């Protein structure tokens, strides 16, 4: 007889997929926090009218690690902050996946046979006056 237990694989702490996800989400969260700090500091420098690029870079190179090193111990000590960080890791991974998907969609080059056939049909239709007029009429009456 079959048991009543679930047949779904159980994730253990030694599961390589879980370890990989934890490591990737951890580092993605750290780099997202650093990027957020850099962006925030850059906005502050713009508001302070500090125009010199080398001065901005010097300030950012000193202040970002200082903010990061001051924040991390506080997050580690506060259980509520650690819980928020734990949940934020999943949001960071979802945002990264959405941005990667948008980037890949924007830079996708369709070299399929169907795409080449469609391009050829459009080119051929543009050279035939009756076809071009019918296509324009169709485009104008489409809802």
């Amino acid at each position: 007889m079959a048991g009543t237990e679930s047949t779904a694989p159980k994730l253990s702490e030694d599961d390589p997929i879980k370890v990989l996800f934890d490591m990737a989400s951890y580092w993605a969260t750290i780099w997202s926090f650093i990027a957020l700090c850099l962006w925030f500091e850059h906005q502050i420098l713009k508001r302070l009218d500090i125009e010199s690029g080398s001065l901005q870079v010097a300030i950012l190179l000193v202040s970002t690690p200082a903010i990061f090193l001051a924040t991390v111990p506080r997050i580690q000590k506060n259980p509520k902050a650690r819980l928020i960080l734990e949940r934020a890791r999943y949001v960071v991974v979802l945002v990264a996946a959405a941005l990667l998907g948008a980037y890949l969609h924007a830079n996708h080059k369709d070299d399929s046979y169907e795409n080449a056939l469609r391009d050829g049909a459009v080119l051929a239709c543009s050279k035939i006056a009756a076809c071009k007029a019918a296509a324009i009429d169709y485009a104008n009456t489409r809802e």
Side-chain angles (χ1 to χ4, degrees):
M1 265 199 214
T4 57
E5 296 178 4
S6 172
T7 58
K10 295 185 182 192
L11 294 176
S12 67
E13 293 301 320
D14 299 332
D15 185 26
I17 294 173
K18 184 181 182 326
V19 171
L20 182 64
F21 177 80
D22 285 344
M23 190 170 51
S25 66
Y26 175 76
W27 284 108
T29 305
I30 288 174
W31 284 109
S32 297
F33 179 73
I34 291 171
L36 184 65
C37 285
L38 285 171
W39 175 81
F40 185 67
E41 291 174 48
H42 181 69
Q43 295 302 315
I44 290 171
L45 292 175
K46 279 187 0 186
R47 301 242 191 247
L48 293 174
D49 290 331
I50 298 175
E51 296 294 327
S52 173
S54 59
L55 183 60
Q56 282 185 356
V57 169
I59 291 171
L60 291 174
L61 284 175
V62 171
S63 62
T64 301
I67 291 172
F68 184 77
L69 292 173
T71 306
V72 170
R74 290 185 179 173
I75 290 174
Q76 289 175 342
K77 290 178 185 175
N78 188 343
K80 189 173 182 176
R82 284 177 41 193
L83 180 64
I84 290 170
L85 183 64
E86 241 348 92
R87 291 180 180 165
R89 287 187 329 155
Y90 297 101
V91 173
V92 166
V93 169
L94 290 174
V95 168
L99 289 173
L100 180 62
Y103 173 78
L104 291 175
H105 179 71
N107 294 316
H108 177 67
K109 307 263 188 293
D110 191 7
D111 295 331
S112 67
Y113 174 76
E114 290 81 11
N115 192 40
L117 192 62
R118 183 173 39 253
D119 290 345
V122 168
L123 251 156
C125 187
S126 68
K127 294 181 180 180
I128 301 171
C131 182
K132 186 174 181 180
I136 290 170
D137 184 48
Y138 173 75
N140 291 335
T141 58
R142 210 173 109 193
E143 292 181 17

